[in-house]
Amino acid sequence: MSPQPSPHHRSPRRRLRSATALLAALAGLGASFLTGPAQASEVRDTAAGSRTVAYHGYRIDVPADWQVVDLTENPRACVRFDRPAVYLGAPGEQNDCPAHLVGRTAGIVVEPITARSAGQVTAATARAQRGRATVPSAVSSDDTVRIAVEDAGVLVTAAHTPDTEDLVRDVLATAELTSAARRTELPRAAGQPATVAPLAAVGPQPGSYLGKGFDACAAPSTAAMNAWQTSSPYSAVGVYISGSFRGCSQPNLTASWVTSQTSNGWRLFPIDVGRQAPCTSFSLRMSADPATARSQGVSAAATAITAASNLGIPAGSTIYSDIEAYTSTASCKAAVLSYLSGWTERLHSGGYLSGFYSSAASGIRDAAAEYNNSAYTRVDHLFYAWWNGAADTNTGTYVPSTYWANHQRIHQYAGEVTESYGGYSINIDRDYLDVGTGSTPPTPTCSGANLNFSAYATVQSGSSGELVKAAQCLLTAAGYDAGTPDGVFGPATTTAARTFQSAKGLTADGVVGPRTWTALLARGATTVVRSGSTGEPVTRLQRALTAALGRTVGIDGSFGPATDQAVRDYQSSRGLAVDGVVGSGTWGALQAGR
């Protein structure tokens, strides 16, 4: 989808008038509006059928039927995206979110720039220019557009689905500064790679653990986590790190939060909520075609890996795909298991383990029925909902006791309960974990082919030679079977290239050009390297820079002056901080094919 609204047809403000029908079809609009006067905020209906909302000198027009929630007046309000709303102010330390909220329509959060909100800033966050409140070219990462409007001192987070992205961009396009705007700049380090040691979990998550845990729609605040650590029976927490169908905002879920909680002894089980089974009524569904569903699973896993990496959740961790209950049919089961096959294969190629969350009576039973079917790639861990109140990992008749029996289970045994410890109440699902690190499948490496070239020319169907062999090897190493690396660009290589491109958000044309070369060559660990560094990460960097800049960068594995200049040129041309240090921000741009 285009990163900016179409320049023709109706204006953004006029398009807002017809938005209600779409959103009403996606979610119930039964909750009341919270639009009373509040400090620094203003809400005003317009004759055009929209609603003007202002906060801290930042003003936008939203559809008239959107909720407007003032978080200053309602600090416990759940910042939820399953119904269209705009939230003004900083989310509170405690919230009233239901634990198992799945689904998304559209929503916008406008909050002050503070040390806390700056923790949400990543390399994908856009920054409005001086005197502007809009950034038409702002990218969407994991179906979220985030813009720092420093002239008004606000961070704007806009969540959407593929169906509502245009609407959300139309709303953002109406943004203006008002006379109340006061500039607050983001901290200089916000969204940039760490210069000493990146924030990270203490090890693979959840690691080896036997005992109770819980999951909540929004990651609790550090204060709440500290209180629960002291008083609750729980030592593990499920966190929703990625997925286009997450229902809640995640203001607390940052790399700093992950580092803090895991350092304090908490175990995390990361969850992705993406496409649902094709036989459901959810608005975001996987394809009923198994091949397409498999490709969608690959794309979801690639997004989840990026999210995990940004949060400091390392390779070796298990990431669980949340596929809600469905009424199974043969075709629906085939689509779900194909999606999970792509999910698992892509996670394995990135060094992660795959997990699967679903109802024991539908998705889990389907996976167990095909446990030994080589047509599907088996997930590594199960996370099953069976609300029988038993804190154990017994699966009854749903899964044979010999399947996923080597510390590979999480049982969600009770749902939607509110518990209070140390003065903090959270609505949770109760879980019991018996998990172990197991053995992460080794990340495929690209051997037997020359990868060092002075230029990476475009190759495509019909091409042949050493560059094609290199592309085939790199695609296969990334988890996309390009066939035998024989130097002949045939149908298997074209299909692998298209699938890889789709997973990276690139034009899926099957042509390996500069952007695809850059993403392929940069793939691997995002080790921080700088002047004086040596080794394999530097070699990968030099190859990727050669492709990205279109000029020869010496490939010798030594980060010398020429490499330093190439890094700075790349950072400058891509709008990154120009410091010559290659951390998560620069690696992320390279691995995205920028």
Side-chain angles (χ1 to χ4, degrees):
M1 186 171 291
S2 171
Q4 57 186 353
S6 173
H8 50 274
H9 304 304
R10 296 170 293 163
S11 69
R13 284 186 171 83
R14 290 184 62 195
R15 281 196 290 265
L16 296 181
R17 301 177 195 174
S18 61
T20 302
L22 168 64
L23 293 173
L26 294 174
L29 302 179
S32 61
F33 291 103
L34 302 174
T35 58
Q39 182 180 4
S41 67
E42 175 189 352
V43 181
R44 175 169 49 84
D45 290 333
T46 71
S50 62
R51 171 167 291 183
T52 297
V53 180
Y55 178 79
H56 268 223
Y58 176 85
R59 182 170 62 204
I60 54 175
D61 291 345
V62 302
D65 283 350
W66 278 33
Q67 294 180 73
V68 180
V69 183
D70 191 316
L71 296 174
T72 302
E73 289 196 342
N74 302 277
R76 289 187 64 98
C78 177
V79 180
R80 54 193 296 176
F81 298 136
D82 63 324
R83 54 197 187 198
V86 57
Y87 297 88
L88 307 176
E93 286 286 300
Q94 300 192 66
N95 62 65
D96 293 321
C97 289
H100 206 73
L101 179 64
V102 173
R104 178 180 289 190
T105 56
I108 294 177
V109 182
V110 185
E111 60 186 305
I113 291 176
T114 63
R116 179 192 182 204
S117 63
Q120 303 174 61
V121 174
T122 68
T125 302
R127 302 192 187 201
Q129 296 178 355
R130 288 269 190 165
R132 301 288 299 275
T134 61
V135 184
S137 60
V139 300
S140 176
S141 176
D142 200 12
D143 281 359
T144 300
V145 178
R146 185 167 281 127
I147 301 173
V149 184
E150 293 171 297
D151 271 3
V154 296
L155 182 66
V156 182
T157 300
H160 61 82
T161 69
D163 288 336
T164 61
E165 180 174 0
D166 283 345
L167 167 63
V168 165
R169 289 190 180 278
D170 285 346
V171 172
L172 295 176
T174 69
E176 298 174 341
L177 299 172
T178 74
S179 60
R182 298 293 182 272
R183 185 172 176 85
T184 300
E185 296 185 357
L186 284 170
R188 292 179 61 87
Q192 300 302 327
T195 56
V196 182
L199 296 167
V202 296
Q205 300 298 311
S208 297
Y209 175 69
L210 177 67
K212 290 184 175 182
F214 71 93
D215 57 273
C217 188
S221 67
T222 294
M225 293 295 288
N226 290 343
W228 277 48
Q229 183 184 48
T230 301
S231 308
S232 82
Y234 306 111
S235 295
V237 57
V239 289
Y240 293 88
I241 68 166
S242 60
S244 302
F245 222 45
R246 285 185 294 171
C248 288
S249 175
Q250 296 288 355
N252 298 314
L253 188 56
T254 64
S256 177
W257 186 91
V258 167
T259 301
S260 177
Q261 305 322 314
T262 57
S263 296
N264 287 340
W266 284 98
R267 306 302 181 94
L268 311 182
F269 42 110
I271 306 167
D272 173 274
V273 191
R275 294 181 181 274
Q276 299 299 302
C279 50
T280 65
S281 59
F282 288 111
S283 61
L284 185 67
R285 300 185 296 274
M286 65 190 70
S287 172
D289 174 65
T292 303
R294 192 185 198 103
S295 176
Q296 290 169 336
V298 169
S299 297
T303 299
I305 289 172
T306 298
S309 178
N310 287 339
L311 291 168
I313 298 172
S317 300
T318 305
I319 308 177
Y320 298 82
S321 176
D322 180 336
I323 298 177
E324 294 294 306
Y326 56 91
T327 302
S328 185
T329 64
S331 62
C332 193
K333 178 172 78 171
V336 169
L337 296 184
S338 295
Y339 179 94
L340 289 171
S341 294
W343 165 262
T344 299
E345 290 159 10
R346 181 65 184 92
L347 285 176
H348 285 179
S349 75
Y352 288 80
L353 293 169
S354 73
F356 173 35
Y357 169 89
S358 191
S359 164
S362 58
I364 299 301
R365 181 156 52 190
D366 279 352
E370 305 300 332
Y371 185 84
N372 292 310
N373 188 345
S374 61
Y376 302 113
T377 303
R378 185 191 308 155
V379 297
D380 299 303
H381 285 199
L382 292 186
F383 178 9
Y384 59 99
W386 183 20
W387 293 359
N388 62 355
D392 58 27
T393 54
N394 175 37
T395 48
T397 60
Y398 296 117
V399 179
S401 61
T402 55
Y403 292 0
W404 293 285
N406 186 24
H407 309 292
Q408 296 167 283
R409 296 184 175 194
I410 302 176
H411 177 194
Q412 187 182 85
Y413 63 91
E416 302 287 356
V417 295
T418 297
E419 298 188 23
S420 298
Y421 299 99
Y424 289 87
S425 297
I426 308 173
N427 189 264
I428 66 169
D429 295 328
R430 294 172 179 156
D431 308 304
Y432 189 82
L433 294 81
D434 181 0
V435 292
T437 55
S439 57
T440 303
T443 302
T445 58
C446 194
S447 59
N450 174 36
L451 302 181
N452 298 341
F453 296 88
S454 59
Y456 293 88
T458 297
V459 292
Q460 56 194 306
S461 181
S463 299
S464 61
E466 291 301 308
L467 273 171
V468 173
K469 189 174 181 180
Q472 291 170 324
C473 193
L474 289 165
L475 285 165
T476 299
Y480 305 89
D481 185 7
T484 303
D486 56 6
V488 178
F489 204 124
T493 306
T494 299
T495 298
R498 284 176 176 161
T499 308
F500 174 80
Q501 290 165 331
S502 178
K504 291 295 182 181
L506 301 171
T507 300
D509 56 9
V511 176
V512 181
R515 295 192 65 184
T516 304
W517 274 122
T518 301
L520 283 170
L521 292 163
R523 176 186 163 273
T526 55
T527 306
V528 177
V529 292
R530 52 169 61 84
S531 182
S533 297
T534 59
E536 185 271 343
V538 177
T539 300
R540 278 191 292 116
L541 171 68
Q542 291 168 330
R543 293 170 182 152
L545 288 171
T546 296
L549 295 173
R551 72 171 194 249
T552 302
V553 177
I555 302 172
D556 58 7
S558 179
F559 201 128
T563 302
D564 182 81
Q565 185 60 56
V567 169
R568 292 176 186 273
D569 290 346
Y570 177 79
Q571 290 171 329
S572 176
S573 63
R574 269 63 174 182
L576 304 170
V578 182
D579 56 8
V581 177
V582 182
S584 60
T586 302
W587 276 122
L590 287 165
Q591 292 179 347
R594 288 177 56 190

